[in-house]
Structure formats: C-alpha cells, structure tokens
Amino acid sequence: MTWLASSVMGRRGVAQAREGAHHQLTEDAQGQFHYVYGPYASPVMTIAPGDVVAVETLDAFGGAVKTEDDLPSKVLNMPFVNPQNGPIAVTGAKKGDVLAVHIKSLLPRGPQPAGTTALIPDFGGLVASSLTHLNAPITERVKKMEVTPDGVKFSDRITLPYEPFVGTMGVSPEIEAISSLVPDFYGGNMDLPDVAPGAVIYFPVQRDEAYFYIGDCHGRQGDGELCGVAVEIPATVTVQIDLIKDWAIPSVRLETEDFIMSVGSARPMEDAARMAYRDLIRWMVEDYGFEESEAYFLATQAGKMRVGNMVDPKYSLGASMLKTYLGGTGD
C-alpha cells in the first residue's frame, strides 16, 4: 500500500485511490487542442472517478519550434501557444466538489532533442517591455536540449537531472474562457515544479463534470521560470483522477508523501504569497486541528515558499508545511 491510502484523495475520494478503467488520450484522439480554460468546448472523453488516463501532450510551442533557427517571433501564432488536452469530463462532479489528480508518470516523447527553451523579446523575468520602457528588446534565441529520464543535456559540459512536471493543468471556470497562459484559483499555467509525478493536486470544481485540462509539460525548471520558458517538452503524462465530495477549498492545493501545499496566483508577488500562506493556515486549522494563531506561528517558523513562475500574467507561489509537523492524517 502506498502513501496514497492516507492522502486526502485516498481517505475522502469517491474511488479512495483505487484505480478504475484505463484510457488513452492520444494526439490524434485529441484532435483540436485548446488555448483557453473554459466551459464551452465539448469533452474529448468522459471518465469515472478513479479512472487513469495517459495523455499525449504537445510542448508549449505546439511543436512549431523544431530547430534553434526557428525563432518564436517567426513561427508562433500568438496567442495560440500553451495547447491543452481536454476537456475531460468527470462523471458526478458538481460545483463545490474537488477534483483530485494524482500524477503517476511523465515521460518525454517524440524525436530528440525533445526539450526547448528560448529568450523571447518583451517576455521574461529580467526583460523590460517595449510597451512601457525605452530599452531595446532582448536578443531572441532558441536552445534545444536532449531530454530523457537519464537527464537534460543542457550542454556538452552540463547534464541536469530530469525532474519533470506539468506546467499547466486545472478545471474549467464556471462561465469564463481564460487563456491557458494564465494561472488562477482553478489551476491553469502555474508552472509549479511540485506538480510532479507522485503528487496529488486538488482543484475546486466550478461546473458540472469539472472539465479537466492538461498540457505544457516540462523536463525541469528552476524556481521562478526566470526567462519565461522552462525545458518545454512533448510528453506522455499519466494521471489518475478522483472526485472528493463535501470539501470546500478556495484554490489549488497539493499533497505529496512528505508535505501539503497551498497555491496562490496573483500580482503583485507578495499577494500570491499571502494567498498561499493564508490558505495553508486555513487547511491546518480545518483539517489538522490547529488553532489559527498557532498555525500562524508554525507557518512562520517552518513554512516553505516555492516560486512557480514570476513571468506570467499572474505569479504562482506555493506555501508548504511538512507533514511531520502536522500530526494525524488530516481528518
């Protein structure tokens, strides 16, 4: 028995972490990819809580940047980037429920070099926008990298560990159709490295059947996604999806064997940090029996803050607490 049995998904999920039917969502079966999170596209498949889906995703550029000579400004059709698979409808999901998504595996697919990063004019954490500054745009450049489970070949001298994660995933907002470049309470483009194999991510359902989207997989990324582009890869990502009733959460939460995390997405960055820590303290009070001021003290002395991205329309930060300090199972 894995740690999933003691997770929120295992204890409260409709399927209680038991695997149901297995499905494949291939690139051909997906057909039309989506560039917004919204309720207006028809589901590409319908699954039951507990089902497992293997999804073939495109990279953030939709495969258009094939070589280092393919400059994004020349080959991309903005704003049609960050293509998403889905929506996947989940039977029985209602507004007020929580969708639990356990990432089982994430592997690069397609020809090598499978990884792409880039410097893009007017985009990135250290770049001034030509809309508001007199600075000249940064010199555009593409870097391709071989990406396998053995590592990310950054250069002939440096091979980085393969630490894959899903950059963009979540559920449909209730009525809005929002760009897949934007993170918010429903998930979206959080670019948070902890959304990785082994983790369970919890999303507040906004509409019937949840309408789950996923895409934008990464071979790895440093905190903040500094230049705005991680090691973007096409991938096969396998997820197990469950449904939790009667658990009201305001935004995305995440759980691993070792810690719990709350995610805040906002600008300025300190608001994202405040939102993340506020929800972490709320979680500690509601499910772990802490008094609020005691949880505030503990978050101050033992909390960790992960910067997912500092480049997107909203920044995403994750506030976490080790389970060893929480005690119990969270009931």
Side-chain angles (χ1 to χ4, degrees):
M1 183 66 69
T2 69
W3 76 273
L4 283 178
S6 64
S7 69
V8 180
M9 174 178 163
R11 290 179 289 104
R12 302 186 192 177
V14 171
Q16 296 185 310
R18 293 186 294 268
E19 290 190 8
H22 284 237
H23 311 265
Q24 284 193 322
L25 182 51
T26 65
E27 186 177 335
D28 287 341
Q30 174 64 42
Q32 179 181 1
F33 286 79
H34 300 286
Y35 300 93
V36 296
Y37 274 50
Y40 304 111
S42 297
V44 70
M45 68 168 54
T46 299
I47 66 170
D51 285 2
V52 176
V53 188
V55 185
E56 291 183 353
T57 66
L58 302 178
D59 71 12
F61 303 117
V65 182
K66 301 183 187 306
T67 73
E68 292 186 347
D69 294 326
D70 292 326
L71 299 181
S73 64
K74 305 298 183 184
V75 301
L76 299 183
N77 179 23
M78 294 294 292
F80 297 99
V81 292
N82 223 19
Q84 300 294 296
N85 295 75
I88 296 172
V90 182
T91 302
K94 301 284 186 183
K95 183 178 180 180
D97 296 339
V98 167
L99 203 68
V101 181
H102 172 48
I103 304 175
K104 297 176 69 67
S105 66
L106 198 166
L107 295 170
R109 69 183 185 95
Q112 295 288 354
T116 307
T117 190
L119 302 180
I120 300 174
D122 294 331
F123 181 61
L126 300 180
V127 172
S129 170
S130 61
L131 296 175
T132 56
H133 294 71
L134 292 174
N135 305 63
I138 193 170
T139 300
E140 195 168 13
R141 181 185 171 190
V142 171
K143 184 178 181 66
K144 302 290 286 190
M145 290 162 281
E146 182 177 313
V147 180
T148 73
D150 293 327
V152 176
K153 189 175 180 181
F154 181 81
S155 67
D156 291 339
R157 189 168 59 90
I158 300 172
T159 297
L160 301 170
Y162 178 65
E163 296 176 346
F165 69 99
V166 181
T168 309
M169 65 190 301
V171 295
S172 169
E174 187 170 15
I175 62 171
E176 300 96 336
I178 302 175
S179 168
S180 59
L181 293 172
V182 178
D184 211 314
F185 64 93
Y186 54 83
N189 192 30
M190 299 176 290
D191 289 321
L192 194 69
D194 300 285
V195 182
V200 181
I201 302 86
Y202 302 104
F203 301 98
V205 174
Q206 306 298 307
R207 56 146 298 145
D208 288 354
E209 297 187 311
Y211 278 32
F212 174 71
Y213 293 85
I214 185 170
D216 180 35
C217 291
H218 298 162
R220 66 168 294 113
Q221 176 199 295
D223 283 2
E225 197 182 25
L226 185 60
C227 82
V229 186
V231 180
E232 310 290 341
I233 60 171
T236 300
V237 54
T238 301
V239 295
Q240 180 182 352
I241 300 175
D242 208 341
L243 183 65
I244 299 173
K245 296 286 188 178
D246 302 319
W247 191 37
I249 63 175
S251 57
V252 179
R253 292 178 177 178
L254 181 149
E255 180 180 15
T256 73
E257 184 173 6
D258 299 320
F259 63 83
I260 63 172
M261 174 182 283
S262 292
V263 182
S265 294
R267 281 200 187 195
M269 187 177 287
E270 56 264 35
D271 279 358
R274 291 182 179 115
M275 290 166 66
Y277 265 130
R278 175 63 188 94
D279 186 59
L280 179 67
I281 289 171
R282 182 184 290 117
W283 194 355
M284 292 167 65
V285 169
E286 293 175 352
D287 289 355
Y288 291 91
F290 282 82
E291 189 271 328
E292 185 176 86
S293 62
E294 195 73 3
Y296 194 9
F297 281 142
L298 185 58
T300 301
Q301 311 309 332
K304 300 290 185 182
M305 178 60 69
R306 164 82 87 166
V307 180
N309 86 78
M310 51 179 285
V311 295
D312 290 331
K314 296 180 181 179
Y315 303 147
S316 293
L317 277 73
S320 65
M321 180 64 63
L322 290 173
K323 287 180 174 178
T324 53
Y325 300 141
L326 296 173
T329 61
D331 281 327

